[in-house]
């Protein structure tokens, strides 16, 4: 019989659940990204003239095939982090950083929704899946006594992890789909 919340283990729902929650979130993005950019790019260029033209050109040049390959590359990153979490009972720094990055990624989508005054890809599942899963998983890790104490730099590391993984996934996708 368990006598404390610290005896509560971290199961696959917490660790491998990151991959499942990410997959549900990215299904939304796969279904909406290419068409959303085509419809909204002209208005965004006009609304945000300070954004360099190279950024708009790059955003507008990503087609559905390239985006799908980038999502596949990111799936490998999230799967590796989830497995690391599973193998370590949630203690893996990689898993915890990826979990934090996932939650911060959801907040970025909500900020994007505010900036574009609409519902960009990823903003529908962020409050329904991304943020609730992240908070639930962190709570479970805390109860099990394996959640690393949050530090201010963890925010930067989580955002950096998400950003670097996204850039790398798109670079891989561009290379694999060009030619």
């Amino acid at each position: 019989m368990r006598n404390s919340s610290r005896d509560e283990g971290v199961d696959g729902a917490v660790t491998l659940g990151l991959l499942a929650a990410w997959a549900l979130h990215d299904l939304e993005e796969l279904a909406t990204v290419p068409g959303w950019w085509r419809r909204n790019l002209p208005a965004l260029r006009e609304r945000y003239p300070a954004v360099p033209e190279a950024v708009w050109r790059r955003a507008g040049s990503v087609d559905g095939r390239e985006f799908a390959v980038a999502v596949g590359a990111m799936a490998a990153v999230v799967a590796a982090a989830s497995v690391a979490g599973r193998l370590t009972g949630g203690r893996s720094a990689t898993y915890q950083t990826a979990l934090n990055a996932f939650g911060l990624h959801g907040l970025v989508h909500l900020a994007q929704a505010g900036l574009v005054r609409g519902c960009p890809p990823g903003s529908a599942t962020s409050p329904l899946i991304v943020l609730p899963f992240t908070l639930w998983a962190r709570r479970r890790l805390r109860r099990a006594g394996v959640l690393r104490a949050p530090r201010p730099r963890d925010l930067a590391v989580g955002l950096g992890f998400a950003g670097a993984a996204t850039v790398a996934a798109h670079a891989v996708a561009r290379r694999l789909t060009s030619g």
Side-chain angles (χ1 to χ4, degrees):
M1 183 159 138
R2 292 183 179 157
N3 59 13
S4 81
S5 61
R6 286 203 174 263
D7 292 337
E8 182 180 319
V10 174
D11 61 15
V14 175
T15 55
L16 299 177
L18 173 60
L19 180 59
W22 172 87
L24 290 171
H25 171 69
D26 267 41
L27 283 173
E28 175 198 359
E29 292 185 336
L30 279 169
T32 59
V33 163
W36 189 90
W37 274 114
R38 276 192 305 279
R39 288 186 308 276
N40 292 281
L41 194 56
L44 291 172
R45 273 187 165 121
E46 188 175 312
R47 187 179 301 150
Y48 299 105
V51 173
E53 184 56 31
V55 171
W56 297 128
R57 273 196 311 275
R58 177 67 183 114
S61 73
V62 177
D63 64 12
R65 190 169 132 240
E66 181 181 328
F67 187 75
V69 171
V71 167
M74 185 63 84
V77 172
V78 177
S82 297
V83 169
R86 182 70 179 137
L87 293 174
T88 62
R91 289 175 175 81
S92 164
T94 300
Y95 165 73
Q96 289 191 23
T97 298
L99 178 64
N100 290 339
F102 184 58
L104 292 168
H105 170 80
L107 292 175
V108 167
H109 278 305
L110 296 181
Q112 289 170 334
L115 285 171
V116 303
R117 300 176 198 132
C119 189
S123 63
T125 53
S126 286
L128 299 174
I129 295 171
V130 176
L131 298 175
F133 175 81
T134 302
L135 293 172
W136 173 81
R138 287 181 54 79
R139 195 168 34 255
R140 292 285 303 271
L141 293 170
R142 188 177 306 108
R143 273 194 238 142
V146 299
L147 183 65
R148 290 178 292 142
R151 299 167 298 186
R153 78 176 201 138
D154 292 338
L155 179 67
V157 170
L159 285 172
F161 181 89
T166 299
V167 168
H170 281 278
V172 166
R174 172 76 34 130
R175 176 163 223 135
L176 291 175
T177 59
S178 65

